[in-house]
Amino acid sequence: MSGTGQFSLLKTRRFLPLFVTQFFGAFNDNLLKNAVVVMINFHGMRMLGLAPELMIQLAAALFILPFFLFSATSGQICEKYDKAIVARFVKQLEIVIMLVAGLGFLLHNGVILMSTVFMMGIHSALFGPLKYSVLPQYLHPDELVGGNGLIEMGTFVSIILGQVAGTLLIDHDPSRTAIITALLLCAMIGYGAARQMPTAPSSISGLQVDWNFARQTWQIIGHAKQNRAVWLSLLGISWFWFLGAIYLSKLPTYASSVLGGDASVYTFLMTLFSLGVGLGSMFCDKLSGRKVELGLVPFGSIGLCLFGIDLYFATPPRASTEIDWLTLATQLQYYRLVADFMLIGIFGGFYIVPLYALIQSRSEPAFRSRAIAANNILNALFMVVSAAFAAVMAAFGVDIPTVLLVSALLNLLVAGYIYTLLPEFLMRFLVWIITHAMYRVRHDGLDNIPDEGPVVIVCNHVSFMDPLIIAGACRRPVRFVMDHQIFKIPVLNFIFRTARAIPIAPAKEDPDMKTRAFERVAEELAAGEVVCIFPEGKITYDGELNPFKSGIEEIVARTPVPVVPMALRGMWGSFFSRKGGPAMGRIPRRFWSKISLVATHPLAPEQVTATGLQQQVQALRGNAR
């Protein structure tokens, strides 16, 4: 990605048409749904004699139902055909749906409009797997998090704009010309943008589409379960939508009955939440160093818990007179509440974007669209469970602030459970916190590490933190070969064990451990993993490079793989280095040091010698220590 960051993607044809297509599709979804809700709630539209409250619940159910019925089929279609062609078909369908919706608004007909809500659910179920599964085809690996962040930001901004516009266009235009024009115009803009999407060829064109949605739903969920990291990420995203559905469903009543506000207070709180998610999604690219950083997921869930809990205590007594959004934004007693809503959204963005990026990067290319389809099915299921949970709480007379508090506490339990099942999330969080708190790391040449396949990294050894610095910088998981004494360091030991590091001892100290270590290295390389070794065999005592041992030659002779030379610069004298030597016993002086991690082109196995690698690392290191 260029130096201008993730927003440079908006200048490219491989991303901008997709972004515009998604933005106006999500906008139209919410424009139509909110316009229908306003027609029911404030303009007397009825259907089959149903009460307004039941009609609104039915509209929500009709929109979610297609995700159960059509997501599995949609995933197969997106897998089998060029995704750009599928996008154009879906956008043509949207134009037809909006023509039908226009007729419904002109006739003030509830049956027609409720039918179009169902049809837009079909539209979204078809487009959902496409928009996320096509990103890895359009973007480079270091653009994936930034691209997901922009998609999430655009989605949540379009949601709030669509909801506001739906209310305004219905309330201020009795002829309904404005809402019909807006719906058709957005659908046509979306179709025009879809026509500009670059080709995205099928990864499995021979796939036979199974039209039995029930059978295919169970099959794709079963397949998703086979990849533990992807499956738990799917559950994590669905849990976010469980929480989001509770917040969004309770927000209107929270604004009016709890705070004593008018409709503008609800819109203001929705805006804070949606903009927060958008901002958090964009910040992910910067905080993650433009790679899939799973450490942000626990960071996000901690924020969701803390500010969700604080919202309960920040909620003031109901105002004696009706308040508007300006009162909320300007009076001191509401500042903490406003901050909580914004921060819940921001940390929600931190939480959800890396999970989407992980699904995209770790799903098999031939299954990626169906993995996203499985995600949509689970999201819909969790939202239904969320509605049932909220209904049960209401039946027991639990007030809304307490419902939100219980949801935040549940998030704490669910997050803890997921992180015990997949410790990699927590391990990456600790690595991310430690490395970002103690160092300012600049990367150069890390794209020389292949995106897939076995490879050995060799690096100079300056401090106890070297493995964490490298692990935090590399896009791929790294298996470190490290001295068994360093492996045993408290706290770091959890990180090293979770990262499947390989402890090693000198032959004169423990020959069996050394033999087992070399066998583990061979196994990891045979499995296509990245293995990192520090050929000096010890941490430097004077900041200079120690002679490289011949173990690297033995590793490559046993398993011929490319070797990437790497160098750490600026670590000497930083916290956890041995500046002054063991005899001096000094505590290092520098904290939050500015350091560099530099890699060069991989060497073929036949080019690898300990002496040659030492010269390469010395050249990368230069005069810096």
Side-chain angles (χ1 to χ4, degrees), residues 412-440:
L412 196 62
L413 296 175
V414 171
Y417 177 66
I418 289 178
Y419 303 146
T420 57
L421 292 179
L422 192 67
E424 183 182 359
F425 285 106
L426 190 56
M427 180 271 289
R428 294 294 308 188
F429 172 61
L430 292 174
V431 169
W432 186 81
I433 287 290
I434 292 170
T435 56
H436 282 73
M438 304 187 70
Y439 305 100
R440 291 168 289 166

PDB file of all heavy atoms in Angstrom, residues 412-440:
ATOM      1  N   LEU A 412     -18.076 -10.265  28.370  1.00  0.00           N
ATOM      2  CA  LEU A 412     -16.860 -10.615  29.111  1.00  0.00           C
ATOM      3  C   LEU A 412     -16.702 -12.131  29.201  1.00  0.00           C
ATOM      4  O   LEU A 412     -15.607 -12.671  28.971  1.00  0.00           O
ATOM      5  CB  LEU A 412     -16.926 -10.001  30.514  1.00  0.00           C
ATOM      6  CG  LEU A 412     -15.636  -9.910  31.331  1.00  0.00           C
ATOM      7  CD1 LEU A 412     -14.616  -9.032  30.646  1.00  0.00           C
ATOM      8  CD2 LEU A 412     -15.944  -9.377  32.722  1.00  0.00           C
ATOM      9  N   LEU A 413     -17.793 -12.826  29.508  1.00  0.00           N
ATOM     10  CA  LEU A 413     -17.746 -14.286  29.628  1.00  0.00           C
ATOM     11  C   LEU A 413     -17.508 -14.958  28.281  1.00  0.00           C
ATOM     12  O   LEU A 413     -16.689 -15.879  28.164  1.00  0.00           O
ATOM     13  CB  LEU A 413     -19.059 -14.795  30.235  1.00  0.00           C
ATOM     14  CG  LEU A 413     -19.366 -14.346  31.665  1.00  0.00           C
ATOM     15  CD1 LEU A 413     -20.757 -14.831  32.080  1.00  0.00           C
ATOM     16  CD2 LEU A 413     -18.310 -14.885  32.630  1.00  0.00           C
ATOM     17  N   VAL A 414     -18.213 -14.497  27.249  1.00  0.00           N
ATOM     18  CA  VAL A 414     -18.077 -15.105  25.923  1.00  0.00           C
ATOM     19  C   VAL A 414     -16.674 -14.889  25.371  1.00  0.00           C
ATOM     20  O   VAL A 414     -16.056 -15.802  24.813  1.00  0.00           O
ATOM     21  CB  VAL A 414     -19.138 -14.537  24.957  1.00  0.00           C
ATOM     22  CG1 VAL A 414     -18.861 -14.991  23.523  1.00  0.00           C
ATOM     23  CG2 VAL A 414     -20.528 -14.964  25.389  1.00  0.00           C
ATOM     24  N   ALA A 415     -16.155 -13.661  25.539  1.00  0.00           N
ATOM     25  CA  ALA A 415     -14.808 -13.375  25.050  1.00  0.00           C
ATOM     26  C   ALA A 415     -13.779 -14.265  25.742  1.00  0.00           C
ATOM     27  O   ALA A 415     -12.903 -14.850  25.091  1.00  0.00           O
ATOM     28  CB  ALA A 415     -14.473 -11.900  25.278  1.00  0.00           C
ATOM     29  N   GLY A 416     -13.900 -14.387  27.067  1.00  0.00           N
ATOM     30  CA  GLY A 416     -12.981 -15.242  27.800  1.00  0.00           C
ATOM     31  C   GLY A 416     -13.043 -16.686  27.337  1.00  0.00           C
ATOM     32  O   GLY A 416     -12.011 -17.355  27.199  1.00  0.00           O
ATOM     33  N   TYR A 417     -14.249 -17.166  27.055  1.00  0.00           N
ATOM     34  CA  TYR A 417     -14.419 -18.544  26.588  1.00  0.00           C
ATOM     35  C   TYR A 417     -13.751 -18.753  25.230  1.00  0.00           C
ATOM     36  O   TYR A 417     -13.027 -19.735  25.017  1.00  0.00           O
ATOM     37  CB  TYR A 417     -15.903 -18.873  26.506  1.00  0.00           C
ATOM     38  CG  TYR A 417     -16.200 -20.252  25.957  1.00  0.00           C
ATOM     39  CD1 TYR A 417     -15.830 -21.400  26.661  1.00  0.00           C
ATOM     40  CD2 TYR A 417     -16.847 -20.408  24.736  1.00  0.00           C
ATOM     41  CE1 TYR A 417     -16.092 -22.665  26.158  1.00  0.00           C
ATOM     42  CE2 TYR A 417     -17.113 -21.669  24.227  1.00  0.00           C
ATOM     43  CZ  TYR A 417     -16.737 -22.795  24.942  1.00  0.00           C
ATOM     44  OH  TYR A 417     -16.993 -24.044  24.435  1.00  0.00           O
ATOM     45  N   ILE A 418     -13.964 -17.816  24.307  1.00  0.00           N
ATOM     46  CA  ILE A 418     -13.375 -17.946  22.963  1.00  0.00           C
ATOM     47  C   ILE A 418     -11.854 -17.906  23.036  1.00  0.00           C
ATOM     48  O   ILE A 418     -11.157 -18.676  22.361  1.00  0.00           O
ATOM     49  CB  ILE A 418     -13.912 -16.833  22.025  1.00  0.00           C
ATOM     50  CG1 ILE A 418     -15.390 -17.101  21.695  1.00  0.00           C
ATOM     51  CG2 ILE A 418     -13.097 -16.762  20.735  1.00  0.00           C
ATOM     52  CD1 ILE A 418     -16.034 -16.048  20.819  1.00  0.00           C
ATOM     53  N   TYR A 419     -11.302 -17.043  23.903  1.00  0.00           N
ATOM     54  CA  TYR A 419      -9.849 -16.926  23.972  1.00  0.00           C
ATOM     55  C   TYR A 419      -9.203 -18.140  24.638  1.00  0.00           C
ATOM     56  O   TYR A 419      -8.039 -18.439  24.379  1.00  0.00           O
ATOM     57  CB  TYR A 419      -9.453 -15.637  24.698  1.00  0.00           C
ATOM     58  CG  TYR A 419     -10.028 -14.403  24.041  1.00  0.00           C
ATOM     59  CD1 TYR A 419     -10.419 -13.296  24.798  1.00  0.00           C
ATOM     60  CD2 TYR A 419     -10.229 -14.349  22.671  1.00  0.00           C
ATOM     61  CE1 TYR A 419     -10.981 -12.176  24.196  1.00  0.00           C
ATOM     62  CE2 TYR A 419     -10.795 -13.238  22.068  1.00  0.00           C
ATOM     63  CZ  TYR A 419     -11.163 -12.163  22.832  1.00  0.00           C
ATOM     64  OH  TYR A 419     -11.725 -11.062  22.243  1.00  0.00           O
ATOM     65  N   THR A 420      -9.972 -18.847  25.475  1.00  0.00           N
ATOM     66  CA  THR A 420      -9.424 -20.098  26.014  1.00  0.00           C
ATOM     67  C   THR A 420      -9.442 -21.194  24.953  1.00  0.00           C
ATOM     68  O   THR A 420      -8.571 -22.068  24.935  1.00  0.00           O
ATOM     69  CB  THR A 420     -10.220 -20.578  27.243  1.00  0.00           C
ATOM     70  OG1 THR A 420     -11.605 -20.735  26.890  1.00  0.00           O
ATOM     71  CG2 THR A 420     -10.094 -19.595  28.389  1.00  0.00           C
ATOM     72  N   LEU A 421     -10.430 -21.146  24.054  1.00  0.00           N
ATOM     73  CA  LEU A 421     -10.484 -22.129  22.971  1.00  0.00           C
ATOM     74  C   LEU A 421      -9.405 -21.870  21.926  1.00  0.00           C
ATOM     75  O   LEU A 421      -8.859 -22.816  21.341  1.00  0.00           O
ATOM     76  CB  LEU A 421     -11.862 -22.094  22.297  1.00  0.00           C
ATOM     77  CG  LEU A 421     -13.055 -22.585  23.121  1.00  0.00           C
ATOM     78  CD1 LEU A 421     -14.338 -22.448  22.317  1.00  0.00           C
ATOM     79  CD2 LEU A 421     -12.858 -24.031  23.552  1.00  0.00           C
ATOM     80  N   LEU A 422      -9.114 -20.596  21.678  1.00  0.00           N
ATOM     81  CA  LEU A 422      -8.096 -20.247  20.688  1.00  0.00           C
ATOM     82  C   LEU A 422      -7.138 -19.235  21.321  1.00  0.00           C
ATOM     83  O   LEU A 422      -7.284 -18.026  21.151  1.00  0.00           O
ATOM     84  CB  LEU A 422      -8.742 -19.648  19.430  1.00  0.00           C
ATOM     85  CG  LEU A 422      -7.819 -19.509  18.216  1.00  0.00           C
ATOM     86  CD1 LEU A 422      -7.410 -20.888  17.690  1.00  0.00           C
ATOM     87  CD2 LEU A 422      -8.488 -18.722  17.109  1.00  0.00           C
ATOM     88  N   PRO A 423      -6.140 -19.707  22.071  1.00  0.00           N
ATOM     89  CA  PRO A 423      -5.231 -18.803  22.796  1.00  0.00           C
ATOM     90  C   PRO A 423      -4.441 -17.860  21.880  1.00  0.00           C
ATOM     91  O   PRO A 423      -3.878 -16.891  22.360  1.00  0.00           O
ATOM     92  CB  PRO A 423      -4.283 -19.760  23.527  1.00  0.00           C
ATOM     93  CG  PRO A 423      -4.991 -21.071  23.560  1.00  0.00           C
ATOM     94  CD  PRO A 423      -5.825 -21.116  22.326  1.00  0.00           C
ATOM     95  N   GLU A 424      -4.433 -18.148  20.567  1.00  0.00           N
ATOM     96  CA  GLU A 424      -3.690 -17.283  19.642  1.00  0.00           C
ATOM     97  C   GLU A 424      -4.167 -15.841  19.730  1.00  0.00           C
ATOM     98  O   GLU A 424      -3.372 -14.899  19.617  1.00  0.00           O
ATOM     99  CB  GLU A 424      -3.839 -17.798  18.209  1.00  0.00           C
ATOM    100  CG  GLU A 424      -3.029 -17.005  17.185  1.00  0.00           C
ATOM    101  CD  GLU A 424      -3.220 -17.496  15.763  1.00  0.00           C
ATOM    102  OE1 GLU A 424      -3.971 -18.468  15.556  1.00  0.00           O
ATOM    103  OE2 GLU A 424      -2.618 -16.893  14.860  1.00  0.00           O
ATOM    104  N   PHE A 425      -5.482 -15.627  19.939  1.00  0.00           N
ATOM    105  CA  PHE A 425      -5.999 -14.265  20.062  1.00  0.00           C
ATOM    106  C   PHE A 425      -5.338 -13.543  21.233  1.00  0.00           C
ATOM    107  O   PHE A 425      -4.864 -12.410  21.089  1.00  0.00           O
ATOM    108  CB  PHE A 425      -7.518 -14.288  20.266  1.00  0.00           C
ATOM    109  CG  PHE A 425      -8.307 -14.590  19.030  1.00  0.00           C
ATOM    110  CD1 PHE A 425      -8.914 -15.815  18.863  1.00  0.00           C
ATOM    111  CD2 PHE A 425      -8.445 -13.648  18.035  1.00  0.00           C
ATOM    112  CE1 PHE A 425      -9.642 -16.104  17.729  1.00  0.00           C
ATOM    113  CE2 PHE A 425      -9.179 -13.917  16.895  1.00  0.00           C
ATOM    114  CZ  PHE A 425      -9.778 -15.152  16.735  1.00  0.00           C
ATOM    115  N   LEU A 426      -5.331 -14.205  22.399  1.00  0.00           N
ATOM    116  CA  LEU A 426      -4.767 -13.587  23.592  1.00  0.00           C
ATOM    117  C   LEU A 426      -3.259 -13.427  23.461  1.00  0.00           C
ATOM    118  O   LEU A 426      -2.685 -12.423  23.884  1.00  0.00           O
ATOM    119  CB  LEU A 426      -5.110 -14.435  24.821  1.00  0.00           C
ATOM    120  CG  LEU A 426      -4.792 -13.811  26.185  1.00  0.00           C
ATOM    121  CD1 LEU A 426      -5.475 -12.462  26.333  1.00  0.00           C
ATOM    122  CD2 LEU A 426      -5.227 -14.754  27.308  1.00  0.00           C
ATOM    123  N   MET A 427      -2.605 -14.430  22.869  1.00  0.00           N
ATOM    124  CA  MET A 427      -1.157 -14.346  22.654  1.00  0.00           C
ATOM    125  C   MET A 427      -0.816 -13.148  21.783  1.00  0.00           C
ATOM    126  O   MET A 427       0.087 -12.369  22.092  1.00  0.00           O
ATOM    127  CB  MET A 427      -0.663 -15.646  22.013  1.00  0.00           C
ATOM    128  CG  MET A 427       0.836 -15.683  21.727  1.00  0.00           C
ATOM    129  SD  MET A 427       1.308 -15.035  20.085  1.00  0.00           S
ATOM    130  CE  MET A 427       0.682 -16.327  19.031  1.00  0.00           C
ATOM    131  N   ARG A 428      -1.566 -12.978  20.684  1.00  0.00           N
ATOM    132  CA  ARG A 428      -1.297 -11.841  19.788  1.00  0.00           C
ATOM    133  C   ARG A 428      -1.587 -10.514  20.492  1.00  0.00           C
ATOM    134  O   ARG A 428      -0.912  -9.514  20.244  1.00  0.00           O
ATOM    135  CB  ARG A 428      -2.124 -11.960  18.524  1.00  0.00           C
ATOM    136  CG  ARG A 428      -1.782 -13.119  17.624  1.00  0.00           C
ATOM    137  CD  ARG A 428      -0.414 -13.018  17.001  1.00  0.00           C
ATOM    138  NE  ARG A 428      -0.150 -11.761  16.330  1.00  0.00           N
ATOM    139  CZ  ARG A 428       0.920 -11.507  15.588  1.00  0.00           C
ATOM    140  NH1 ARG A 428       1.831 -12.449  15.433  1.00  0.00           N
ATOM    141  NH2 ARG A 428       1.106 -10.351  15.017  1.00  0.00           N
ATOM    142  N   PHE A 429      -2.584 -10.504  21.375  1.00  0.00           N
ATOM    143  CA  PHE A 429      -2.889  -9.288  22.132  1.00  0.00           C
ATOM    144  C   PHE A 429      -1.715  -8.912  23.030  1.00  0.00           C
ATOM    145  O   PHE A 429      -1.298  -7.746  23.071  1.00  0.00           O
ATOM    146  CB  PHE A 429      -4.149  -9.513  22.975  1.00  0.00           C
ATOM    147  CG  PHE A 429      -4.465  -8.399  23.936  1.00  0.00           C
ATOM    148  CD1 PHE A 429      -4.730  -7.124  23.474  1.00  0.00           C
ATOM    149  CD2 PHE A 429      -4.492  -8.629  25.304  1.00  0.00           C
ATOM    150  CE1 PHE A 429      -5.023  -6.092  24.362  1.00  0.00           C
ATOM    151  CE2 PHE A 429      -4.783  -7.617  26.191  1.00  0.00           C
ATOM    152  CZ  PHE A 429      -5.049  -6.342  25.713  1.00  0.00           C
ATOM    153  N   LEU A 430      -1.163  -9.890  23.755  1.00  0.00           N
ATOM    154  CA  LEU A 430      -0.020  -9.610  24.621  1.00  0.00           C
ATOM    155  C   LEU A 430       1.183  -9.141  23.810  1.00  0.00           C
ATOM    156  O   LEU A 430       1.885  -8.197  24.194  1.00  0.00           O
ATOM    157  CB  LEU A 430       0.339 -10.858  25.427  1.00  0.00           C
ATOM    158  CG  LEU A 430      -0.686 -11.292  26.486  1.00  0.00           C
ATOM    159  CD1 LEU A 430      -0.279 -12.621  27.109  1.00  0.00           C
ATOM    160  CD2 LEU A 430      -0.834 -10.221  27.563  1.00  0.00           C
ATOM    161  N   VAL A 431       1.431  -9.800  22.681  1.00  0.00           N
ATOM    162  CA  VAL A 431       2.538  -9.381  21.813  1.00  0.00           C
ATOM    163  C   VAL A 431       2.320  -7.946  21.339  1.00  0.00           C
ATOM    164  O   VAL A 431       3.227  -7.111  21.381  1.00  0.00           O
ATOM    165  CB  VAL A 431       2.671 -10.330  20.604  1.00  0.00           C
ATOM    166  CG1 VAL A 431       3.635  -9.763  19.567  1.00  0.00           C
ATOM    167  CG2 VAL A 431       3.161 -11.698  21.069  1.00  0.00           C
ATOM    168  N   TRP A 432       1.091  -7.653  20.908  1.00  0.00           N
ATOM    169  CA  TRP A 432       0.785  -6.317  20.374  1.00  0.00           C
ATOM    170  C   TRP A 432       0.945  -5.248  21.455  1.00  0.00           C
ATOM    171  O   TRP A 432       1.539  -4.197  21.218  1.00  0.00           O
ATOM    172  CB  TRP A 432      -0.641  -6.311  19.820  1.00  0.00           C
ATOM    173  CG  TRP A 432      -1.007  -5.034  19.124  1.00  0.00           C
ATOM    174  CD1 TRP A 432      -0.697  -4.659  17.851  1.00  0.00           C
ATOM    175  CD2 TRP A 432      -1.759  -3.940  19.682  1.00  0.00           C
ATOM    176  NE1 TRP A 432      -1.207  -3.402  17.582  1.00  0.00           N
ATOM    177  CE2 TRP A 432      -1.860  -2.950  18.685  1.00  0.00           C
ATOM    178  CE3 TRP A 432      -2.349  -3.716  20.928  1.00  0.00           C
ATOM    179  CZ2 TRP A 432      -2.529  -1.751  18.902  1.00  0.00           C
ATOM    180  CZ3 TRP A 432      -3.017  -2.526  21.139  1.00  0.00           C
ATOM    181  CH2 TRP A 432      -3.106  -1.557  20.139  1.00  0.00           C
ATOM    182  N   ILE A 433       0.415  -5.520  22.663  1.00  0.00           N
ATOM    183  CA  ILE A 433       0.506  -4.553  23.756  1.00  0.00           C
ATOM    184  C   ILE A 433       1.966  -4.319  24.153  1.00  0.00           C
ATOM    185  O   ILE A 433       2.432  -3.178  24.287  1.00  0.00           O
ATOM    186  CB  ILE A 433      -0.303  -5.034  24.982  1.00  0.00           C
ATOM    187  CG1 ILE A 433      -1.805  -4.889  24.712  1.00  0.00           C
ATOM    188  CG2 ILE A 433       0.082  -4.270  26.241  1.00  0.00           C
ATOM    189  CD1 ILE A 433      -2.292  -3.464  24.650  1.00  0.00           C
ATOM    190  N   ILE A 434       2.714  -5.413  24.333  1.00  0.00           N
ATOM    191  CA  ILE A 434       4.103  -5.295  24.794  1.00  0.00           C
ATOM    192  C   ILE A 434       4.958  -4.562  23.765  1.00  0.00           C
ATOM    193  O   ILE A 434       5.691  -3.623  24.094  1.00  0.00           O
ATOM    194  CB  ILE A 434       4.689  -6.683  25.094  1.00  0.00           C
ATOM    195  CG1 ILE A 434       3.992  -7.293  26.321  1.00  0.00           C
ATOM    196  CG2 ILE A 434       6.195  -6.598  25.341  1.00  0.00           C
ATOM    197  CD1 ILE A 434       4.331  -8.750  26.547  1.00  0.00           C
ATOM    198  N   THR A 435       4.855  -4.980  22.513  1.00  0.00           N
ATOM    199  CA  THR A 435       5.721  -4.372  21.500  1.00  0.00           C
ATOM    200  C   THR A 435       5.348  -2.917  21.225  1.00  0.00           C
ATOM    201  O   THR A 435       6.225  -2.079  21.011  1.00  0.00           O
ATOM    202  CB  THR A 435       5.672  -5.176  20.189  1.00  0.00           C
ATOM    203  OG1 THR A 435       4.316  -5.294  19.736  1.00  0.00           O
ATOM    204  CG2 THR A 435       6.249  -6.563  20.394  1.00  0.00           C
ATOM    205  N   HIS A 436       4.042  -2.586  21.242  1.00  0.00           N
ATOM    206  CA  HIS A 436       3.650  -1.203  20.973  1.00  0.00           C
ATOM    207  C   HIS A 436       3.872  -0.296  22.176  1.00  0.00           C
ATOM    208  O   HIS A 436       4.043   0.912  22.022  1.00  0.00           O
ATOM    209  CB  HIS A 436       2.187  -1.144  20.533  1.00  0.00           C
ATOM    210  CG  HIS A 436       1.973  -1.546  19.115  1.00  0.00           C
ATOM    211  ND1 HIS A 436       2.071  -2.861  18.686  1.00  0.00           N
ATOM    212  CD2 HIS A 436       1.685  -0.818  18.006  1.00  0.00           C
ATOM    213  CE1 HIS A 436       1.852  -2.908  17.385  1.00  0.00           C
ATOM    214  NE2 HIS A 436       1.613  -1.696  16.950  1.00  0.00           N
ATOM    215  N   ALA A 437       3.861  -0.868  23.387  1.00  0.00           N
ATOM    216  CA  ALA A 437       4.095  -0.051  24.579  1.00  0.00           C
ATOM    217  C   ALA A 437       5.574   0.250  24.770  1.00  0.00           C
ATOM    218  O   ALA A 437       5.932   1.298  25.303  1.00  0.00           O
ATOM    219  CB  ALA A 437       3.539  -0.758  25.815  1.00  0.00           C
ATOM    220  N   MET A 438       6.441  -0.656  24.337  1.00  0.00           N
ATOM    221  CA  MET A 438       7.865  -0.532  24.649  1.00  0.00           C
ATOM    222  C   MET A 438       8.717  -0.091  23.472  1.00  0.00           C
ATOM    223  O   MET A 438       9.837   0.383  23.666  1.00  0.00           O
ATOM    224  CB  MET A 438       8.387  -1.868  25.175  1.00  0.00           C
ATOM    225  CG  MET A 438       7.613  -2.388  26.379  1.00  0.00           C
ATOM    226  SD  MET A 438       8.358  -3.843  27.110  1.00  0.00           S
ATOM    227  CE  MET A 438       9.838  -3.126  27.810  1.00  0.00           C
ATOM    228  N   TYR A 439       8.193  -0.258  22.249  1.00  0.00           N
ATOM    229  CA  TYR A 439       9.018   0.039  21.077  1.00  0.00           C
ATOM    230  C   TYR A 439       8.220   0.769  20.008  1.00  0.00           C
ATOM    231  O   TYR A 439       7.002   0.624  19.910  1.00  0.00           O
ATOM    232  CB  TYR A 439       9.574  -1.257  20.468  1.00  0.00           C
ATOM    233  CG  TYR A 439      10.343  -2.108  21.448  1.00  0.00           C
ATOM    234  CD1 TYR A 439       9.753  -3.217  22.047  1.00  0.00           C
ATOM    235  CD2 TYR A 439      11.654  -1.799  21.788  1.00  0.00           C
ATOM    236  CE1 TYR A 439      10.446  -3.999  22.964  1.00  0.00           C
ATOM    237  CE2 TYR A 439      12.357  -2.576  22.700  1.00  0.00           C
ATOM    238  CZ  TYR A 439      11.747  -3.668  23.283  1.00  0.00           C
ATOM    239  OH  TYR A 439      12.438  -4.435  24.183  1.00  0.00           O
ATOM    240  N   ARG A 440       8.932   1.529  19.210  1.00  0.00           N
ATOM    241  CA  ARG A 440       8.387   2.102  17.981  1.00  0.00           C
ATOM    242  C   ARG A 440       9.115   1.397  16.842  1.00  0.00           C
ATOM    243  O   ARG A 440      10.288   1.665  16.584  1.00  0.00           O
ATOM    244  CB  ARG A 440       8.617   3.611  17.932  1.00  0.00           C
ATOM    245  CG  ARG A 440       7.800   4.405  18.941  1.00  0.00           C
ATOM    246  CD  ARG A 440       8.285   5.834  19.049  1.00  0.00           C
ATOM    247  NE  ARG A 440       9.585   5.907  19.722  1.00  0.00           N
ATOM    248  CZ  ARG A 440      10.362   6.984  19.726  1.00  0.00           C
ATOM    249  NH1 ARG A 440       9.994   8.069  19.059  1.00  0.00           N
ATOM    250  NH2 ARG A 440      11.514   6.986  20.372  1.00  0.00           N
TER     251      ARG A 440
END
